[in-house]
Amino acid sequence: MLEYIIKGSKKIQGEVNISGSKNSALPIIAATILNAGKTTLYNVPNIHDTKMMFEILNKLGGKVNKKANKIIIDTSNIDKYEIPEELMRQMRSSVIFAGSLIGKYKKAIFSYPGGCDIGTRPIDLHLKSFEKLGINITKNYGNITCNCDKIIGEKINLDFPSVGATENIILAAILAEGTTKIENAAREPEIVDLQNFLNKMGANVKGAGTSQIIIEGVKKLKDVSYNIMPDRIETGTFLCVAAMSGGEIIVKNTNSNHIIPVIDKLEEAGCKIDIQNSKIELKAPKKLKAINIKTMPYPGFPTDMQQIFASMLTLAKGTSIVVENIFENRYKYTQELIRMGAKISIEGKTAIIKGTRRLYGANVKATDLRGGVAIVIAAICAKGTTRIENIEYILRGYEKFEQKLQNIGVDIELVNSKLEK
Ligand code: UD1
């Protein structure tokens, strides 16, 4: 069991380099299957979730070779089409392998991902879209088997712009016969990155970043190398920790165009922000102002920043209202913040946050990836020492998190509580 011990009341000062995007790397790693060849990836974040993707690739017959910042993936000998249940359970987003396996081999077997810590997270939109593409789906004791003789392009209208479903349809349609058109597609930058990667490989995808994506099936793809885009949620996280602490930060190697609503809200809260090329500089005010936030599909305010903003707003002047519209159960972490002195009440999708003068160190638990980070940033700004359990959640998505925080002035230590006892 990994824990963070954080000594609080620290003002952030310094620079941080942003890693490659987790949510971009995951579908791109899955997409390498389509090529049945060699792909070289740069800027893949070294985090638990990408390691799990590589483990699944290995189990399917792929080979992954790491050389510093370069990862070479060889998918020429894939000979299994089943995502192991135990790995599927550990990482829900491994369902993204389904699109590539069915797209390339017309066969994929995986288990139902089930619920997780932020809600039920169904995959009905993925499966309905597969069926539209002529893929047969059989469900048996929690196992889902997809197979077909061929995939023929179709028009698919998504009920909701699901990121994962949009990506799975694209992957299934790359080598299909004819044209696939997705209406009400998710517009996230990670989908644009996936399109760029696939087109470099020789695919024909247009429209990512808009709500209509058109995929013309192609017969063959080629070996490529590709650089994963920077992580917009990591960028937002470091801006928020500096803002909450009343400090200053320069965030480097990022893309400010991907987090416009986050920057707007930080400015509304009183931060001064200066953007130059791939660099964002933030200077926090003495005291943040309360603001209101509603999470929405991109280009709206990202649900993955909701917990981190809510944590930041516990120290703002006035009352902030946060509305979570994407996930049904994304407020678990607020119980932990309340233990630290935050004044938060939840009514359905809404969190009402009354700004307080001070938070206090306590023994708390990370409840999920972003909720865990929300607690870390609160601990950095709290009076006294905080001990946070279940840090494994955070390591799923943030590369060198404690080292990056130490470099900007945070007193944070990662301990293994089992070894300590
Ligand atoms: C992705 C991101 C995650 C982010 C989320 C929303 C990755 C690996 N993860 O998750 O960090 O928080 O987008 O921006 O990229 N839904 C259904 N049926 C489906 C699919 C989704 O009802 O078949 C619902 C979900 O339960 C959720 C909402 O749609 O309430 C959004 O989910 P979706 O956009 O699919 O998120 P993910 O792709 O899982």
Side-chain angles (χ1 to χ4, degrees):
M1 272 253 292
L2 295 174
E3 298 183 358
Y4 275 150
I5 298 173
I6 299 175
K7 292 196 180 116
S9 301
K10 292 289 184 296
K11 216 180 226 188
I12 299 296
Q13 189 110 43
E15 296 185 356
V16 65
N17 275 318
I18 295 305
S19 299
S21 160
K22 166 176 94 69
N23 289 354
S24 196
L26 303 182
I28 288 177
I29 293 169
T32 62
I33 287 186
L34 291 170
N35 185 29
K38 272 193 183 153
T39 306
T40 307
L41 296 177
Y42 294 93
N43 211 27
V44 174
N46 187 11
I47 52 179
H48 181 258
D49 274 12
T50 54
K51 287 182 196 146
M52 296 297 298
M53 293 295 281
F54 294 143
E55 209 174 315
I56 295 172
L57 266 181
N58 278 327
K59 291 254 153 74
L60 299 175
K63 285 200 184 78
V64 180
N65 210 324
K66 291 186 203 175
K67 285 184 189 155
N69 191 25
K70 176 167 148 179
I71 295 188
I72 302 159
I73 300 174
D74 185 349
T75 56
S76 40
N77 292 314
I78 297 279
D79 56 359
K80 290 182 200 72
Y81 317 102
E82 179 166 358
I83 307 165
E85 190 187 340
E86 153 219 346
L87 296 176
M88 185 88 198
R89 230 184 298 120
Q90 281 192 49
M91 196 179 58
R92 185 197 175 280
S93 42
S94 54
V95 71
I96 198 67
F97 274 110
S100 294
L101 286 171
I102 192 85
K104 178 70 187 168
Y105 297 105
K106 313 287 173 277
K107 193 171 176 186
I109 305 167
F110 50 98
S111 53
Y112 231 90
C116 80
D117 292 300
I118 59 173
T120 51
R121 303 192 82 171
I123 54 163
D124 55 313
L125 299 173
H126 302 236
L127 300 181
K128 249 168 58 186
S129 309
F130 284 166
E131 278 175 336
K132 269 233 133 174
L133 292 172
I135 298 162
N136 302 312
I137 295 175
T138 336
K139 294 177 195 161
N140 201 355
Y141 302 110
N143 262 341
I144 300 170
T145 303
C146 299
N147 55 35
C148 60
D149 295 330
K150 55 183 175 185
I151 297 177
I152 300 174
E154 251 296 345
K155 188 168 166 187
I156 298 171
N157 212 325
L158 285 175
D159 295 341
F160 180 87
S162 153
V163 174
T166 303
E167 292 167 343
N168 250 337
I169 301 167
I170 296 175
L171 295 171
I174 292 296
L175 299 168
E177 281 178 25
T179 308
T180 303
K181 205 184 254 185
I182 314 173
E183 301 284 358
N184 199 25
R187 297 161 63 186
E188 269 70 0
E190 290 75 16
I191 293 173
V192 179
D193 213 30
L194 179 64
Q195 168 179 285
N196 292 343
F197 168 73
L198 289 165
N199 285 348
K200 198 169 181 196
M201 252 189 171
N204 186 352
V205 186
K206 291 193 196 89
T210 75
S211 29
Q212 189 190 64
I213 298 178
I214 299 170
I215 306 123
E216 298 281 354
V218 295
K219 290 227 152 53
K220 244 184 113 201
L221 298 167
K222 57 176 189 278
D223 293 354
V224 287
S225 63
Y226 192 76
N227 200 15
I228 306 284
M229 72 174 206
D231 197 303
R232 63 191 168 105
I233 306 302
E234 190 195 14
T235 303
T237 302
F238 280 100
L239 293 174
C240 284
V241 66
M244 187 178 186
S245 77
E248 288 179 21
I249 196 164
I250 298 175
V251 176
K252 291 161 84 176
N253 298 338
T254 189
N255 187 340
S256 60
N257 292 326
H258 294 164
I259 52 158
I260 288 169
V262 170
I263 288 176
D264 285 352
K265 286 290 168 188
L266 284 167
E267 285 179 331
E268 198 182 321
C271 298
K272 294 256 174 307
I273 295 183
D274 184 40
I275 298 169
Q276 280 172 11
N277 305 319
S278 60
K279 215 162 79 174
I280 306 174
E281 186 169 359
L282 176 142
K283 287 194 179 112
K286 267 214 172 91
K287 184 98 186 152
L288 292 166
K289 286 184 262 185
I291 52 170
N292 298 334
I293 284 165
K294 270 188 196 162
T295 66
M296 301 289 275
Y298 192 87
F301 189 89
T303 172
D304 287 349
M305 287 302 303
Q306 177 261 106
Q307 293 127 309
I308 295 157
F309 257 71
S311 177
M312 179 183 86
L313 293 170
T314 60
L315 291 182
K317 187 171 169 19
T319 299
S320 302
I321 311 282
V322 173
V323 181
E324 172 57 58
N325 288 313
I326 309 294
F327 289 106
E328 61 186 23
N329 189 13
R330 222 173 185 180
Y331 285 130
K332 265 193 187 167
Y333 68 99
T334 56
Q335 289 310 314
E336 306 298 306
L337 292 180
I338 289 168
R339 289 165 69 100
M340 298 173 72
K343 294 195 174 125
I344 308 177
S345 56
I346 307 293
E347 282 174 26
K349 303 202 283 186
T350 306
I352 301 152
I353 305 166
K354 283 194 182 146
T356 179
R357 277 194 57 225
R358 197 158 266 172
L359 296 174
Y360 297 91
N363 289 339
V364 285
K365 285 190 180 84
T367 51
D368 59 89
L369 167 58
R370 309 295 171 190
V373 172
I375 295 162
V376 168
I377 77 164
I380 291 168
C381 302
K383 187 171 161 39
T385 301
T386 301
R387 198 174 182 116
I388 310 174
E389 286 177 26
N390 295 348
I391 291 312
E392 287 80 359
Y393 279 122
I394 297 175
L395 303 181
R396 278 189 40 208
Y398 285 78
E399 184 175 60
K400 297 190 186 138
F401 194 44
E402 61 279 2
Q403 289 96 317
K404 288 187 184 188
L405 287 170
Q406 281 158 358
N407 288 345
I408 53 174
V410 176
D411 189 335
I412 179 169
E413 196 190 341
L414 181 70
V415 294
N416 189 327
S417 58
K418 261 200 192 142
L419 295 179
E420 258 197 341
K421 277 165 196 162

